[in-house]
Amino acid sequence: MSACWFLTNVCTNERSSLTCVDPFEKLMGDDFGMKKRLAFTYNTNKTGAASKLDLHVGFSRNVLPTMIHQQMKFDIIYVDGSHERIDTFMILRMHGNFFKIMG
């Protein structure tokens, strides 16, 4: 639901976009993960701003290095993910690579 809130309340400029990383079925098993992904797609489509969504399916530890290599930059980073110590440390450590200057 946080993606829906960002799409509705933050990504209001026509050039705005929202990038999400979620493992969906890779983490939760085929059935539950697939249902979660379908619900995510349904809910983000209901916002009317789903075209602003850039979804990366996978674990942050696998997706973030690729995003760094692609030199992706962001104004805001919101983390709502794993609470495992190693995952949290890695995500926080890598986020400095993503901020735009004056973002």
Side-chain angles (χ1 to χ4, degrees), residues 56-76:
H56 298 259
V57 177
F59 292 100
S60 294
R61 65 180 166 266
N62 299 325
V63 174
L64 294 182
T66 301
M67 294 169 75
I68 290 170
H69 180 72
Q70 295 171 344
Q71 298 183 353
M72 297 177 78
K73 300 291 181 187
F74 303 97
D75 294 309
I76 299 170

Side-chain angles (χ1 to χ4, degrees), residues 16-59:
S16 297
S17 65
L18 177 67
T19 301
C20 293
V21 178
D22 197 299
F24 292 113
E25 59 272 6
K26 293 182 182 197
L27 174 65
M28 312 260 181
D30 293 332
D31 273 354
F32 184 74
M34 186 57 73
K35 288 177 185 175
K36 183 180 173 201
R37 185 171 183 176
L38 290 172
F40 179 87
T41 302
Y42 174 79
N43 289 329
T44 52
N45 283 336
K46 280 181 58 175
T47 68
S51 62
K52 296 181 176 192
L53 181 64
D54 180 18
L55 177 62
H56 298 259
V57 177
F59 292 100

Side-chain angles (χ1 to χ4, degrees), residues 82-99:
S82 172
H83 297 274
E84 297 295 322
R85 178 186 297 189
I86 190 69
D87 292 336
T88 303
F89 175 77
M90 186 272 314
I91 290 167
L92 291 173
R93 179 103 166 136
M94 294 179 124
H95 277 151
N97 295 297
F98 292 114
F99 283 112

